[in-house]
Each structure stands twice: as C-alpha cells, then as structure tokens.
Amino acid sequence: MTEKTNIVHNPLSQSNAAASNSSLFNLLRHFCGSVVCLTLFALFLVEGVVALARPLTQLNGTGLTSLSQYYVVSKLPQFLNSNSSPNVIMTGSSLFLHPAIRCDDRLNGRLTRYDALYIRDVIDPYISCEYLASLINKTTGKAVKVTNLATAGALFSDQYMVFKKCLAKGKKPEVVVCDISPRSFLDRNQSELEKTPVYLVMANYLSLEDLLEAKASLASIMQSVVGSRWSYLRDRCEYREVFENFACRISNRPGDLFHAQQKGAENSKEEIPIIQPTAKDEAKSGPVYTPKPFDERDLNYYRKVYLPIDWNMYGKEMEFLRLYLAMAEAKKISVVMVQMPIPQANRALLPEDLIEKYTSDVAELAKRYKATLVEPAKSAQYGSSDFEDNAHLNAEGGEKLFKAIEPAISAGLN
C-alpha cells in the first residue's frame, strides 16, 4: 500500500516570492539604467584592475615612467601609500639591500642572481629583510615586521627625508635602523643634495599631514584625502607623464632634468659604476648565478666618489644625521646606527684624517642622542669572502652583519 503525501500550496508564500523577484529585477533594471550607478561601478572596476595589475610598475624598466616610478625609489611612495605599519624600519643604501636579498634568498631556498636585471627588478625595489626578522623573532618570541626602505646610492640626507615622511604618514616604528658608511656623507657625484632621486620624490610627496601643516587650500586637502583611497586620482599625472616621455623619446628629446641627466650619463665616456645596471648591460646580460670577480673599475669609481674630499658636503650630511637622531629622540623611537663593514681596499681610498674625524663625529652624535652604535667589524672579521664586490656584502657577510645588529634591535623592541 503506497502512502500518499498531501502537499499544501501556500498562495501567499508564492505571491511573496514573486514580489521579491520582481523587486530585485526592478532594482537591477534601475541600476543599469542609471548613469550615476554605472559610472560608480565602472570607477570601482577600473580601480580594482589598476590596483591589481599596477601598470605603472610594469613599465618601470622602460624609462617612460616618472621619477617616482624609477626602480631605485618607486618602493618609497608605494610604502607610504600602503596600510603597512612595521615594527622596524631600515633606512640606508645598497649596502643594506644586497645582504638582505642574499640572506633572504638563502633562507627561502631561492637561487640568487648577480646580473643587472636582477639588481634592477629585485634588489633595488626590495622592501623586506626576512632573515633579520627571523633572528629577532627567535630572540623576542614576537612576530616582528621589518621593512627595508634602503635605496641604492642614498646619501644621509635621503635617509632623513625617508624617515621624516614615514613619521608624517603616521608610520612610527619602535626601532629605526640606519646605515652609516663613508659614501653616505661624501658622494661627489651627488653634491647637490636637493636633486637626488630620493630627495626629489620625498619632497614632492605631500601627505595630508604635510598639507595641513602648510595650511594648503581645501581643494588640495580634499584631493589628498580622496587620492589616499583612489589610486588612479593619486597617480593620474604619472600616466600622463608616460605618454609625454614616449613623445620625447620619439623626438629624441629629454622631458625633464632627471631624464636629461640619465641621457647625458649614457652618452658620456665616463665610467659608470658596475654595481648599477646600464642600458647596455640589460641588453646583453642573461641570468648570472655566480658573482663576478672583483673589478678594479669599482675602486676607480669609488676613488672619484670620495676624492678630493668635499668637506662642505660632509658637514651638511653630518647635520642631517643629527636631525635624524633628534627627530627619533623627540618621537621616542629607538635608533640603531650600523657602522657598515666595507672591504679594506675600499676603505684604504679614504685619507686617515677623514676616517678619524668621521668615526669621532658618528660616535659623538650617537652618545648625544642615546642611539645604539653597532660596529660589526669589531665583533667579527670580514674578509674578501664576505663581499660580492668592492662594496657589498654577500650572504655569508650578511649573516654576520644581521647577527651583530639583531641584539640591539631586539633590545629596542622590549
């Protein structure tokens, strides 16, 4: 005997479902028919695509983007525009960048490379220091975030500007680590301090805090607020500059002073440091997995960087170190100053009186502002096997360096 189940249909329920479907259809129809709604949808869609694809970054190697997209400094505005707020911020030069990537490549089992494209595409824009973070985590038991804002060829005035802009954006670390090396105070190739790539990009980066301090117009303030959430509005001038630079390239004319200087360097017969990629390098080099033999041209380049000593520049850069330390002290941020190891052949280029004054001035400022001065070369021997060229530490040297500075950083975090 088959049991029959009586199904009771509820006319009211069916009516409610039909009404709900009808309301949804009408809402969708009104949305599709509204110019305002479609415009907002299109803007959100474009913003999502731009944020995901980051087209300006993809064009970094073409030379068509603006100075703020230049691969040496592009990570700075990107970091300032982000929501990241690290415990430790590193400022410095490529002396920090190279050992960071070499140690992180080894830590993560990656094949590190030594060719020009790897320098441009990976090392210069690098913003991490995972090996150092892992050492700190083991000591403190905390998940510490370390952000590496070092930039190739940075003067100390550049480090000051980076640190100042971080604080203006509310990115206040518990510890700031700065690279102390002779070149940061003596680079004759960059004697005009206000015209370095880092200084120009940071000076032109106006945060909401900068605008309020300068009592800017309401329109500028509103544009900054909206731009902080809408990347296309913030970067719209960058896209326009791509097209302008493309037109300049076709006409064989530089669009601004920065690109004119680049073109002049490429056309000149002066030696270009092999630690930075050139257009010729990029065209002919493939992946290189072993460091090149030490090259005498490196030392020739550094000889021109250092000599004759520009004491006026030295004094200005030492003043920026003082301002850096004073700013950190006012914000109650611990400072770790790292006297970077450099190869003996490089150090031997410097006059003894300069070395004595430089060492004394750095130590005196560290004492005055209660900063921790770490001198890794005093706790470990650094030989030629610890360097990949006449300036930069390799993975072995990097491990010695980060093990030497980790205790001071960890102490500043507690």
Side-chain angles (χ1 to χ4, degrees):
M1 184 175 180
T2 304
E3 183 178 350
K4 295 183 179 179
T5 304
N6 293 325
I7 300 176
V8 179
H9 296 281
N10 187 340
L12 184 60
S13 175
Q14 289 180 328
S15 175
N16 289 340
S20 177
N21 290 336
S22 177
S23 297
L24 184 61
F25 176 77
N26 288 334
L27 182 63
L28 183 61
R29 186 180 65 182
H30 284 304
F31 177 83
C32 293
S34 169
V35 175
V36 173
C37 291
L38 287 176
T39 301
L40 289 174
F41 176 76
L43 289 174
F44 280 116
L45 181 63
V46 170
E47 174 68 11
V49 171
V50 168
L52 185 64
R54 297 170 65 196
L56 286 172
T57 304
Q58 305 303 321
L59 293 170
N60 270 352
T62 65
L64 295 174
T65 50
S66 66
L67 175 58
S68 63
Q69 295 295 325
Y70 178 45
Y71 55 85
V72 171
V73 297
S74 60
K75 68 181 181 182
L76 299 176
Q78 289 172 14
F79 170 73
L80 293 175
N81 291 330
S82 73
N83 295 320
S84 178
S85 186
N87 310 88
V88 179
I89 286 179
M90 302 171 68
T91 66
S93 67
S94 58
L95 297 189
F96 264 163
L97 285 174
H98 282 248
I101 190 69
R102 303 307 182 201
C103 289
D104 289 1
D105 280 349
R106 176 178 286 184
L107 179 68
N108 293 295
R110 298 188 297 253
L111 276 175
T112 199
R113 286 167 46 186
Y114 298 87
D115 51 272
L117 290 179
Y118 195 72
I119 294 175
R120 187 196 73 187
D121 296 336
V122 179
I123 296 181
D124 283 337
Y126 200 61
I127 202 165
S128 300
C129 198
E130 297 173 34
Y131 178 76
L132 175 59
S134 70
L135 294 177
I136 298 170
N137 293 348
K138 288 177 183 177
T139 299
T140 64
K142 301 176 182 177
V144 174
K145 182 174 178 56
V146 179
T147 294
N148 191 344
L149 297 182
T151 54
L155 301 175
F156 208 90
S157 49
D158 295 328
Q159 295 193 51
Y160 168 78
M161 286 294 287
V162 170
F163 185 30
K164 180 180 179 181
K165 289 296 181 177
C166 285
L167 295 180
K169 284 291 289 184
K171 297 180 185 297
K172 180 184 174 183
E174 297 173 63
V175 179
V176 64
V177 186
C178 58
D179 149 12
I180 304 294
S181 58
R183 179 180 176 172
S184 297
F185 302 88
L186 294 170
D187 192 344
R188 295 181 60 84
N189 292 336
Q190 302 187 87
S191 57
E192 295 185 82
L193 314 186
E194 296 82 8
K195 292 185 179 180
T196 67
V198 173
Y199 204 99
L200 286 172
V201 167
M202 291 293 91
N204 291 333
Y205 184 93
L206 297 178
S207 64
L208 177 60
E209 293 78 3
D210 293 323
L211 294 171
L212 291 174
E213 182 180 345
K215 298 181 180 179
S217 66
L218 180 60
S220 298
I221 293 174
M222 290 303 298
Q223 183 172 312
S224 175
V225 171
V226 176
S228 66
R229 296 300 176 190
W230 187 11
S231 60
Y232 178 75
L233 175 64
R234 184 179 64 241
D235 300 333
R236 69 192 188 284
C237 293
E238 310 280 355
Y239 290 96
R240 182 183 65 200
E241 195 158 343
V242 168
F243 292 102
E244 290 176 352
N245 289 336
F246 182 67
C248 290
R249 178 171 295 181
I250 293 175
S251 62
N252 198 31
R253 294 182 179 179
D256 54 33
L257 179 61
F258 173 67
H259 288 94
Q261 290 173 336
Q262 277 195 319
K263 186 175 181 62
E266 290 177 3
N267 293 336
S268 72
K269 295 182 179 180
E270 294 182 5
E271 290 186 58
I272 296 174
I274 62 173
I275 55 173
Q276 284 297 312
T278 66
K280 188 181 294 185
D281 290 329
E282 294 170 13
K284 69 180 181 181
S285 67
V288 177
Y289 296 101
T290 55
K292 298 175 183 178
F294 281 27
D295 195 317
E296 182 65 24
R297 286 179 298 169
D298 263 350
L299 293 179
N300 289 338
Y301 169 72
Y302 280 102
R303 190 175 287 110
K304 292 178 180 178
V305 165
Y306 297 144
L307 305 174
I309 299 298
D310 186 340
W311 289 104
N312 182 52
M313 179 181 186
Y314 174 85
K316 289 180 180 179
E317 291 298 334
M318 273 296 167
E319 174 62 12
F320 276 108
L321 172 57
R322 188 195 70 77
L323 293 172
Y324 185 108
L325 297 176
M327 188 162 54
E329 183 182 54
K331 297 291 184 179
K332 295 181 170 54
I333 298 171
S334 299
V335 180
V336 175
M337 301 165 60
V338 184
Q339 188 76 275
M340 295 297 290
I342 57 175
Q344 181 56 36
N346 189 318
R347 184 181 176 86
L349 298 173
L350 296 165
E352 195 57 39
D353 61 334
L354 179 279
I355 293 177
E356 290 178 3
K357 179 169 177 54
Y358 161 76
T359 304
S360 174
D361 289 346
V362 168
E364 191 277 327
L365 286 173
K367 182 179 180 180
R368 189 195 309 180
Y369 291 98
K370 299 179 177 60
T372 302
L373 177 60
V374 181
E375 300 178 83
K378 287 188 174 181
S379 60
Q381 294 294 320
Y382 289 83
S384 59
S385 61
D386 294 309
F387 295 89
E388 63 184 60
D389 54 33
N390 281 304
H392 303 97
L393 291 164
N394 55 23
E396 288 74 21
E399 288 183 2
K400 290 181 182 180
L401 171 74
F402 295 131
K403 285 177 180 177
I405 67 178
E406 175 273 319
I409 297 173
S410 295
L413 292 168
N414 293 327

PDB file of all heavy atoms in Angstrom, residues 17 24 58 75 83 94 144 166 184 198 275 288 290 299 325 358 369 374 377:
ATOM      1  N   ALA A  17       7.238  35.488  -2.921  1.00  0.00           N
ATOM      2  CA  ALA A  17       8.438  35.156  -3.692  1.00  0.00           C
ATOM      3  C   ALA A  17       8.433  35.889  -5.029  1.00  0.00           C
ATOM      4  O   ALA A  17       9.461  36.415  -5.474  1.00  0.00           O
ATOM      5  CB  ALA A  17       8.530  33.654  -3.906  1.00  0.00           C
ATOM      6  N   LEU A  24      13.680  42.735  -7.071  1.00  0.00           N
ATOM      7  CA  LEU A  24      15.094  42.602  -7.407  1.00  0.00           C
ATOM      8  C   LEU A  24      15.343  42.949  -8.873  1.00  0.00           C
ATOM      9  O   LEU A  24      16.315  43.628  -9.208  1.00  0.00           O
ATOM     10  CB  LEU A  24      15.554  41.159  -7.115  1.00  0.00           C
ATOM     11  CG  LEU A  24      17.042  40.868  -7.327  1.00  0.00           C
ATOM     12  CD1 LEU A  24      17.888  41.740  -6.408  1.00  0.00           C
ATOM     13  CD2 LEU A  24      17.332  39.393  -7.084  1.00  0.00           C
ATOM     14  N   GLN A  58      54.774  47.989 -13.971  1.00  0.00           N
ATOM     15  CA  GLN A  58      55.167  47.116 -15.084  1.00  0.00           C
ATOM     16  C   GLN A  58      56.007  47.865 -16.117  1.00  0.00           C
ATOM     17  O   GLN A  58      56.761  47.256 -16.878  1.00  0.00           O
ATOM     18  CB  GLN A  58      53.913  46.539 -15.774  1.00  0.00           C
ATOM     19  CG  GLN A  58      52.955  45.799 -14.844  1.00  0.00           C
ATOM     20  CD  GLN A  58      53.611  44.648 -14.108  1.00  0.00           C
ATOM     21  OE1 GLN A  58      54.423  43.931 -14.683  1.00  0.00           O
ATOM     22  NE2 GLN A  58      53.271  44.475 -12.838  1.00  0.00           N
ATOM     23  N   LYS A  75      59.595  52.134  -4.582  1.00  0.00           N
ATOM     24  CA  LYS A  75      59.015  51.482  -3.406  1.00  0.00           C
ATOM     25  C   LYS A  75      58.659  52.484  -2.300  1.00  0.00           C
ATOM     26  O   LYS A  75      57.832  52.181  -1.436  1.00  0.00           O
ATOM     27  CB  LYS A  75      59.988  50.446  -2.852  1.00  0.00           C
ATOM     28  CG  LYS A  75      61.267  51.004  -2.244  1.00  0.00           C
ATOM     29  CD  LYS A  75      62.158  49.876  -1.762  1.00  0.00           C
ATOM     30  CE  LYS A  75      63.437  50.394  -1.121  1.00  0.00           C
ATOM     31  NZ  LYS A  75      64.307  49.261  -0.710  1.00  0.00           N
ATOM     32  N   ASN A  83      48.959  50.503   3.861  1.00  0.00           N
ATOM     33  CA  ASN A  83      48.483  50.460   5.246  1.00  0.00           C
ATOM     34  C   ASN A  83      49.503  49.817   6.177  1.00  0.00           C
ATOM     35  O   ASN A  83      49.224  49.608   7.354  1.00  0.00           O
ATOM     36  CB  ASN A  83      47.161  49.688   5.326  1.00  0.00           C
ATOM     37  CG  ASN A  83      46.033  50.381   4.583  1.00  0.00           C
ATOM     38  OD1 ASN A  83      45.922  51.608   4.631  1.00  0.00           O
ATOM     39  ND2 ASN A  83      45.197  49.622   3.897  1.00  0.00           N
ATOM     40  N   SER A  94      72.440  50.720  -0.804  1.00  0.00           N
ATOM     41  CA  SER A  94      72.520  49.349  -1.310  1.00  0.00           C
ATOM     42  C   SER A  94      73.378  48.470  -0.410  1.00  0.00           C
ATOM     43  O   SER A  94      73.341  47.240  -0.528  1.00  0.00           O
ATOM     44  CB  SER A  94      73.085  49.341  -2.733  1.00  0.00           C
ATOM     45  OG  SER A  94      74.359  49.955  -2.772  1.00  0.00           O
ATOM     46  N   VAL A 144      57.670  39.973  14.407  1.00  0.00           N
ATOM     47  CA  VAL A 144      58.098  41.349  14.135  1.00  0.00           C
ATOM     48  C   VAL A 144      58.169  41.577  12.631  1.00  0.00           C
ATOM     49  O   VAL A 144      58.702  40.750  11.889  1.00  0.00           O
ATOM     50  CB  VAL A 144      59.485  41.612  14.770  1.00  0.00           C
ATOM     51  CG1 VAL A 144      60.009  42.984  14.374  1.00  0.00           C
ATOM     52  CG2 VAL A 144      59.389  41.502  16.281  1.00  0.00           C
ATOM     53  N   CYS A 166      57.932  59.032   6.658  1.00  0.00           N
ATOM     54  CA  CYS A 166      57.287  57.903   7.347  1.00  0.00           C
ATOM     55  C   CYS A 166      56.542  58.404   8.583  1.00  0.00           C
ATOM     56  O   CYS A 166      55.386  58.026   8.823  1.00  0.00           O
ATOM     57  CB  CYS A 166      58.323  56.857   7.751  1.00  0.00           C
ATOM     58  SG  CYS A 166      58.960  55.847   6.395  1.00  0.00           S
ATOM     59  N   SER A 184      77.801  57.739   2.226  1.00  0.00           N
ATOM     60  CA  SER A 184      76.567  58.470   2.556  1.00  0.00           C
ATOM     61  C   SER A 184      76.838  59.926   2.913  1.00  0.00           C
ATOM     62  O   SER A 184      75.929  60.745   2.934  1.00  0.00           O
ATOM     63  CB  SER A 184      75.846  57.791   3.724  1.00  0.00           C
ATOM     64  OG  SER A 184      75.445  56.483   3.366  1.00  0.00           O
ATOM     65  N   VAL A 198      65.904  60.294  -4.475  1.00  0.00           N
ATOM     66  CA  VAL A 198      65.151  60.087  -3.231  1.00  0.00           C
ATOM     67  C   VAL A 198      64.649  61.409  -2.683  1.00  0.00           C
ATOM     68  O   VAL A 198      63.471  61.542  -2.308  1.00  0.00           O
ATOM     69  CB  VAL A 198      66.023  59.374  -2.173  1.00  0.00           C
ATOM     70  CG1 VAL A 198      65.300  59.309  -0.836  1.00  0.00           C
ATOM     71  CG2 VAL A 198      66.376  57.965  -2.631  1.00  0.00           C
ATOM     72  N   ILE A 275      78.081  48.475 -10.265  1.00  0.00           N
ATOM     73  CA  ILE A 275      77.128  47.990  -9.275  1.00  0.00           C
ATOM     74  C   ILE A 275      75.706  48.382  -9.644  1.00  0.00           C
ATOM     75  O   ILE A 275      74.759  47.923  -9.034  1.00  0.00           O
ATOM     76  CB  ILE A 275      77.456  48.537  -7.865  1.00  0.00           C
ATOM     77  CG1 ILE A 275      77.536  50.071  -7.879  1.00  0.00           C
ATOM     78  CG2 ILE A 275      78.733  47.945  -7.349  1.00  0.00           C
ATOM     79  CD1 ILE A 275      77.680  50.690  -6.511  1.00  0.00           C
ATOM     80  N   VAL A 288      72.669  35.525 -14.236  1.00  0.00           N
ATOM     81  CA  VAL A 288      74.015  35.179 -13.779  1.00  0.00           C
ATOM     82  C   VAL A 288      73.901  34.706 -12.335  1.00  0.00           C
ATOM     83  O   VAL A 288      73.414  35.452 -11.478  1.00  0.00           O
ATOM     84  CB  VAL A 288      74.968  36.393 -13.863  1.00  0.00           C
ATOM     85  CG1 VAL A 288      76.342  36.036 -13.306  1.00  0.00           C
ATOM     86  CG2 VAL A 288      75.079  36.883 -15.300  1.00  0.00           C
ATOM     87  N   THR A 290      76.503  33.396 -10.429  1.00  0.00           N
ATOM     88  CA  THR A 290      77.754  33.457  -9.671  1.00  0.00           C
ATOM     89  C   THR A 290      78.270  34.890  -9.700  1.00  0.00           C
ATOM     90  O   THR A 290      78.162  35.579 -10.722  1.00  0.00           O
ATOM     91  CB  THR A 290      78.835  32.532 -10.272  1.00  0.00           C
ATOM     92  OG1 THR A 290      79.019  32.860 -11.657  1.00  0.00           O
ATOM     93  CG2 THR A 290      78.422  31.078 -10.143  1.00  0.00           C
ATOM     94  N   LEU A 299      86.908  50.218  -7.771  1.00  0.00           N
ATOM     95  CA  LEU A 299      87.732  51.087  -6.940  1.00  0.00           C
ATOM     96  C   LEU A 299      87.975  52.423  -7.617  1.00  0.00           C
ATOM     97  O   LEU A 299      88.019  53.467  -6.955  1.00  0.00           O
ATOM     98  CB  LEU A 299      89.052  50.399  -6.609  1.00  0.00           C
ATOM     99  CG  LEU A 299      88.942  49.166  -5.708  1.00  0.00           C
ATOM    100  CD1 LEU A 299      90.309  48.561  -5.461  1.00  0.00           C
ATOM    101  CD2 LEU A 299      88.275  49.513  -4.385  1.00  0.00           C
ATOM    102  N   LEU A 325      68.618  61.848  14.215  1.00  0.00           N
ATOM    103  CA  LEU A 325      68.652  61.349  15.592  1.00  0.00           C
ATOM    104  C   LEU A 325      67.779  62.188  16.514  1.00  0.00           C
ATOM    105  O   LEU A 325      67.096  61.660  17.395  1.00  0.00           O
ATOM    106  CB  LEU A 325      70.096  61.339  16.096  1.00  0.00           C
ATOM    107  CG  LEU A 325      71.063  60.402  15.348  1.00  0.00           C
ATOM    108  CD1 LEU A 325      72.480  60.575  15.882  1.00  0.00           C
ATOM    109  CD2 LEU A 325      70.616  58.953  15.453  1.00  0.00           C
ATOM    110  N   TYR A 358      85.452  61.230  10.874  1.00  0.00           N
ATOM    111  CA  TYR A 358      84.183  60.550  10.592  1.00  0.00           C
ATOM    112  C   TYR A 358      83.808  59.618  11.749  1.00  0.00           C
ATOM    113  O   TYR A 358      82.677  59.655  12.257  1.00  0.00           O
ATOM    114  CB  TYR A 358      84.335  59.782   9.282  1.00  0.00           C
ATOM    115  CG  TYR A 358      83.337  58.680   9.017  1.00  0.00           C
ATOM    116  CD1 TYR A 358      82.041  58.960   8.613  1.00  0.00           C
ATOM    117  CD2 TYR A 358      83.721  57.343   9.154  1.00  0.00           C
ATOM    118  CE1 TYR A 358      81.144  57.930   8.351  1.00  0.00           C
ATOM    119  CE2 TYR A 358      82.829  56.312   8.890  1.00  0.00           C
ATOM    120  CZ  TYR A 358      81.542  56.611   8.491  1.00  0.00           C
ATOM    121  OH  TYR A 358      80.663  55.600   8.234  1.00  0.00           O
ATOM    122  N   TYR A 369      72.587  61.612  21.442  1.00  0.00           N
ATOM    123  CA  TYR A 369      71.162  61.325  21.291  1.00  0.00           C
ATOM    124  C   TYR A 369      70.777  59.928  21.773  1.00  0.00           C
ATOM    125  O   TYR A 369      69.695  59.436  21.470  1.00  0.00           O
ATOM    126  CB  TYR A 369      70.761  61.518  19.829  1.00  0.00           C
ATOM    127  CG  TYR A 369      70.798  62.976  19.425  1.00  0.00           C
ATOM    128  CD1 TYR A 369      71.908  63.499  18.749  1.00  0.00           C
ATOM    129  CD2 TYR A 369      69.755  63.836  19.751  1.00  0.00           C
ATOM    130  CE1 TYR A 369      71.963  64.839  18.390  1.00  0.00           C
ATOM    131  CE2 TYR A 369      69.808  65.181  19.396  1.00  0.00           C
ATOM    132  CZ  TYR A 369      70.911  65.676  18.723  1.00  0.00           C
ATOM    133  OH  TYR A 369      70.959  67.011  18.381  1.00  0.00           O
ATOM    134  N   VAL A 374      76.316  50.263  16.495  1.00  0.00           N
ATOM    135  CA  VAL A 374      76.821  48.895  16.341  1.00  0.00           C
ATOM    136  C   VAL A 374      77.936  48.910  15.296  1.00  0.00           C
ATOM    137  O   VAL A 374      77.758  49.438  14.198  1.00  0.00           O
ATOM    138  CB  VAL A 374      75.703  47.925  15.907  1.00  0.00           C
ATOM    139  CG1 VAL A 374      76.249  46.509  15.770  1.00  0.00           C
ATOM    140  CG2 VAL A 374      74.548  47.964  16.894  1.00  0.00           C
ATOM    141  N   ALA A 377      82.265  45.128  12.456  1.00  0.00           N
ATOM    142  CA  ALA A 377      83.651  44.761  12.161  1.00  0.00           C
ATOM    143  C   ALA A 377      84.480  44.569  13.423  1.00  0.00           C
ATOM    144  O   ALA A 377      85.569  43.994  13.370  1.00  0.00           O
ATOM    145  CB  ALA A 377      84.294  45.815  11.269  1.00  0.00           C
TER     146      ALA A 377
END
